[in-house]
Amino acid sequence: MLNKQGFYDLLDRNNIVYESIEHPAVYTMEEIFSYQIPHTEHIVRNLFLRDDKKRNYYLVTIAGTKSVDLRSLGEKIPSRKLSFASEKDLLELLGLEKGHVNPMGVLNNIQKNVTVVFDKDLVGQKIGIHPMENTATVFLEFEDVKKLITDQGSSVVMCDVE
């Protein structure tokens, strides 16, 4: 199970350049933006979603200032009607607690039944994500995150999220 130290070890083993900033625990985008940390414009929002039959799960990553129309997203990926997955599902499938969601959490998904959905706007950008817990933000290149996820065999979908 990938934890905070394992996250940093994975980045180091793969020679990925990153900047880590420690901060108090945060649970919302508003909280993270309230701290005077640099690069807040690069922090992403992560949503853990499921379809209405609880057969398909999605970890959606978008720019922190964006919101998501679940109906529109469901049509694009494509999926049945989408809603937020439970905290129980989050813990069971990704080993994460509420507020700790980040795209690298999919590396804890042993069943490989969670699809990562990235907004195409992230391509070529630096992004800020939590290192498996919400007491720090790590800034790194989007392509490095995507490569680590696909190299581990997880499914990735790129789409225009609105």
Side-chain angles (χ1 to χ4, degrees), residues 89 92-94 106-114:
D89 288 339
E92 286 179 6
L93 295 173
L94 301 180
V106 77
L107 300 183
N108 288 336
N109 181 231
I110 296 163
Q111 306 92 325
K112 302 287 185 223
N113 61 344
V114 176

Side-chain angles (χ1 to χ4, degrees), residues 44-147:
V44 295
R45 179 186 309 259
N46 299 281
L47 310 170
F48 190 49
L49 306 174
R50 64 167 176 82
D51 68 17
D52 60 348
K53 296 286 187 182
K54 296 184 179 183
R55 291 186 185 141
N56 297 294
Y57 289 83
Y58 305 93
L59 200 166
V60 179
T61 302
I62 60 173
T65 56
K66 264 189 157 179
S67 58
V68 175
D69 177 327
L70 295 183
R71 178 175 289 161
S72 173
L73 179 62
E75 293 170 0
K76 290 178 180 179
I77 51 180
S79 174
R80 297 177 54 89
K81 183 179 176 185
L82 293 172
S83 64
F84 288 91
S86 70
E87 289 182 45
K88 179 179 180 249
D89 288 339
L90 177 62
L91 188 59
E92 286 179 6
L93 295 173
L94 301 180
L96 297 173
E97 297 176 18
K98 179 181 176 185
H100 299 199
V101 182
N102 73 84
M104 300 289 282
V106 77
L107 300 183
N108 288 336
N109 181 231
I110 296 163
Q111 306 92 325
K112 302 287 185 223
N113 61 344
V114 176
T115 299
V116 180
V117 178
F118 286 118
D119 187 352
K120 286 183 178 179
D121 287 350
L122 299 176
V123 173
Q125 301 293 316
K126 180 178 284 199
I127 63 172
I129 60 176
H130 291 313
M132 310 311 281
E133 61 181 62
N134 61 356
T135 58
T137 300
V138 175
F139 296 92
L140 66 169
E141 296 299 323
F142 165 74
E143 284 73 17
D144 289 333
V145 173
K146 183 180 174 197
K147 183 175 183 339

